[in-house]
Amino acid sequence: MERLNDNEVKEVARMQQMIDLYEGFICALHMMMLSEKEINYPQFTDTNFDKEMNKIWRWVKEHK
């Protein structure tokens, strides 16, 4: 088995962080869809889809 170098380890950690952010966003959307109460989510930054995520959040909030 080949060991990962430092750059590869950093890239894997960055990818896992992005997966965790997107998973949190999807879970928050789901909770908002099921809830009668106002739900806010933490502003995710450093993702490639910040603008898109904000648009999706606003659309779901308006149409639930």
Side-chain angles (χ1 to χ4, degrees):
M1 178 156 47
E2 188 176 328
R3 292 180 54 113
L4 299 175
N5 65 39
D6 287 345
N7 289 334
E8 292 169 328
V9 170
K10 289 177 185 177
E11 181 63 16
V12 169
R14 187 190 70 75
M15 288 188 297
Q16 185 60 54
Q17 182 181 26
M18 298 299 285
I19 291 167
D20 293 343
L21 287 172
Y22 296 138
E23 180 182 26
F25 177 75
I26 292 168
C27 288
L29 276 177
H30 185 250
M31 288 188 307
M32 181 176 63
M33 291 177 351
L34 297 177
S35 177
E36 297 294 322
K37 297 182 180 181
E38 184 76 20
I39 296 176
N40 294 315
Y41 77 101
Q43 180 70 31
F44 298 126
T45 56
D46 299 331
T47 69
N48 294 330
F49 299 110
D50 281 347
K51 290 179 186 177
E52 292 86 349
M53 290 166 68
N54 285 325
K55 287 178 184 177
I56 292 168
W57 185 266
R58 284 193 299 269
W59 188 89
V60 170
K61 192 172 181 177
E62 288 177 19
H63 294 89
K64 74 172 193 159

